[in-house]
Amino acid sequence: MHAASIVVVGTGYVGLTTGACLACLGHRVTCVDVDAAKVARLAAGRVDIMEPGLAGLVARGLTGGTLSFTVEARAAVESADAVFLCVPTPMGAGGAADLRAVESAVATMANSLPSDSVLVTKSTVPVGTARRIGDLLGRDDVAVVSNPEFLREGTAVADFLGPQRIVVGSDTPGAAERVAALYRLLEAPVVVTDAASAELVKYAANCFLATKLSYVNSIAELCERLGADIDAVTRGMGYDSRIGRSFLSPGPGWGGSCLPKDTSALLRIADAVGFDFRLLSAAVEDNLAQRDRVVAKVANAVGGELAGARIGLLGLAFKAGTDDLRDSPALSVASVLSAHGARLCAYDPAVTGPLPGMAVTDDPYRVARGADALVVLTEWPEFTQLDWTYVADLMRGTAVVDTRNLLSPASLRDAGLRWTGLGRSTNRIDATSVS
């Protein structure tokens, strides 16, 4: 395909990024959503999603006439070369992916899709969904292709336009190649395979990353017990090309919109075929244990008793650069602290309240006022720029539990504060490399 007529169903995080970026590549893109008010906002160039570069791409597409928005799915797809399904697939009952939005979209469009068009699943769906969609369509003249997304919140536009790989899979000869051609302007390895393999790639990748994060959190715990330093350990590991440096930072646990639901879904997929995926189960269990480890550190920092303690929380989003609270480990830690009777006040530069179990403020220094301890839960760079001497004056206690190893222990010590990280010792020199 050269410049193609494309319809993107769903204008959430994945759908809007996909639509705006495909329009940027020269295709004619229509984005469809059932939310009329949202469609009106997008058609006026108002983007609610916090994502660098996305609003600019939407404005460019609208101005150039390559991007439009509508609620009329059937009319939109009647002249489409390819239709991308980018609808939510949240965790459903028992942990399996909920495909009702996918099935509803397919049912709505089934009779309107033109002959020889391609229906592409961009949403993360269980293995076998392409075949299931084919059965729902009941049409031999429309091919179904799996084209999983690998977008990270905060860098989604850059990830789409500069991908590490493009994966497309179909059981219809030639269909995957047609979808791969839509990305012809991007320089990236292209993996063309069958539909089931393409669907499994996304789960396999995300679940590997979740396992890697659980592993490094366990190594950080081991460092504390052995007197080693996690920063030095991960630096030494990261130079090994078989391991790499990414996803080697300990934290309060992994969360967000993808890893929790994808690990749960893959465990259900494995169970359905009689495979006991013990490694992945252990990674999920360890992630829950990490939350309890963090809570124990906070309790220790305030003398062992959380009931009545005033705890200031720095960060609520599941990671810096986004306002996404879905399955945020920060909220998970906060809920346990609150359940133990702690009084919580929180600040996040991208999040406004109210939130249950805590007061949310728009001033990081207000979080420190009268606090027995501060807990850094999200790695926002601005926290490193706080006036920590002033913070120390505001606090009632002196403890700072840094679950992201973000802050400078020396700077906090100079301010009269007690810094506690994950797998780190303030008595050890910083790990350095010589090359």
Side-chain angles (χ1 to χ4, degrees):
M1 294 180 183
H2 297 289
S5 176
I6 297 174
V7 171
V8 175
V9 181
T11 60
Y13 181 79
V14 173
L16 187 57
T17 302
T18 297
C21 288
L22 285 172
C24 175
L25 295 179
H27 302 296
R28 301 179 303 280
V29 181
T30 301
C31 292
V32 177
D33 201 285
V34 296
D35 186 338
K38 184 178 184 181
V39 165
R41 291 195 302 272
L42 289 170
R46 298 198 298 273
V47 175
D48 300 328
I49 297 172
M50 182 181 178
E51 187 59 48
L54 184 56
L57 279 187
V58 170
R60 175 179 167 183
L62 290 170
T63 301
T66 58
L67 182 64
S68 61
F69 298 90
T70 183
V71 295
E72 300 295 337
R74 292 187 181 91
V77 303
E78 285 179 348
S79 59
D81 298 308
V83 176
F84 283 75
L85 292 176
C86 300
V87 295
T89 54
M91 189 187 303
D98 185 343
L99 296 180
R100 284 179 294 179
V102 172
E103 293 168 351
S104 175
V106 172
T108 297
M109 300 180 299
N111 295 327
S112 301
L113 291 166
S115 180
D116 203 35
S117 60
V118 180
L119 185 58
V120 185
T121 55
K122 200 74 171 169
S123 304
T124 302
V125 295
V127 178
T129 300
R131 185 171 299 174
R132 183 174 176 180
I133 289 175
D135 291 340
L136 289 173
L137 277 175
R139 294 181 55 177
D140 295 332
D141 59 337
V142 176
V144 180
V145 174
S146 173
N147 176 214
E149 54 86 12
F150 301 99
L151 306 179
R152 298 167 296 171
E153 292 190 44
T155 60
V157 171
D159 291 341
F160 193 104
L161 298 178
Q164 294 181 333
R165 80 289 206 192
I166 296 167
V167 177
V168 285
S170 180
D171 298 329
T172 301
E177 288 82 355
R178 291 172 60 196
V179 173
L182 298 173
Y183 300 96
R184 69 190 184 283
L185 295 181
L186 303 179
E187 295 183 2
V190 178
V191 178
V192 176
T193 183
D194 59 278
S197 297
E199 290 166 340
L200 185 55
V201 166
K202 178 61 183 292
Y203 284 112
N206 274 358
C207 292
F208 177 82
L209 295 177
T211 301
K212 191 175 182 181
L213 287 171
S214 288
Y215 178 80
V216 78
N217 281 335
S218 294
I219 292 295
E221 176 72 13
L222 195 57
C223 282
E224 294 177 11
R225 300 189 183 201
L226 296 175
D229 186 84
I230 189 62
D231 188 50
V233 171
T234 54
R235 281 175 183 252
M237 293 170 61
Y239 281 109
D240 190 326
S241 60
R242 298 169 301 175
I243 298 173
R245 300 182 186 181
S246 64
F247 282 73
L248 282 183
S249 297
W254 40 263
S257 62
C258 293
L259 298 189
K261 76 180 184 70
D262 289 354
T263 50
S264 180
L266 188 56
L267 286 172
R268 282 293 303 269
I269 292 168
D271 184 64
V273 293
F275 176 63
D276 183 7
F277 205 152
R278 287 175 290 178
L279 177 62
L280 185 56
S281 295
V284 173
E285 292 171 5
D286 193 77
N287 193 51
L288 293 175
Q290 185 66 7
R291 175 198 63 189
D292 296 332
R293 292 180 193 133
V294 168
V295 171
K297 282 181 178 293
V298 179
N300 182 65
V302 296
E305 182 57 59
L306 287 169
R310 179 178 169 83
I311 308 296
L313 307 180
L314 291 173
L316 295 170
F318 87 94
K319 71 171 186 176
T322 179
D323 58 356
D324 198 342
L325 296 175
R326 287 176 291 180
D327 281 302
S328 170
L331 293 185
S332 182
V333 168
S335 68
V336 178
L337 291 173
S338 179
H340 280 83
R343 293 180 296 135
L344 307 179
C345 182
Y347 167 78
D348 188 294
V351 177
T352 58
L355 291 173
M358 70 185 77
V360 180
T361 178
D362 60 0
D363 182 354
Y365 294 107
R366 200 170 299 164
V367 165
R369 191 176 300 278
D372 296 299
L374 294 181
V375 187
V376 178
L377 291 168
T378 310
E379 69 281 18
W380 287 102
E382 73 172 64
F383 296 155
T384 66
Q385 304 302 315
L386 293 178
D387 183 340
W388 286 100
T389 299
Y390 179 50
V391 168
D393 290 340
L394 292 171
M395 291 179 64
R396 181 169 66 181
T398 60
V400 177
V401 179
D402 183 0
T403 72
R404 298 287 185 168
N405 290 347
L406 177 70
L407 308 175
S408 165
S411 296
L412 268 68
R413 184 169 58 246
D414 291 344
L417 296 169
R418 294 182 293 114
W419 178 88
T420 300
L422 299 186
R424 300 284 319 266
S425 169
T426 57
N427 296 321
R428 297 182 65 89
I429 62 172
D430 288 337
T432 59
S433 57
V434 178
S435 58

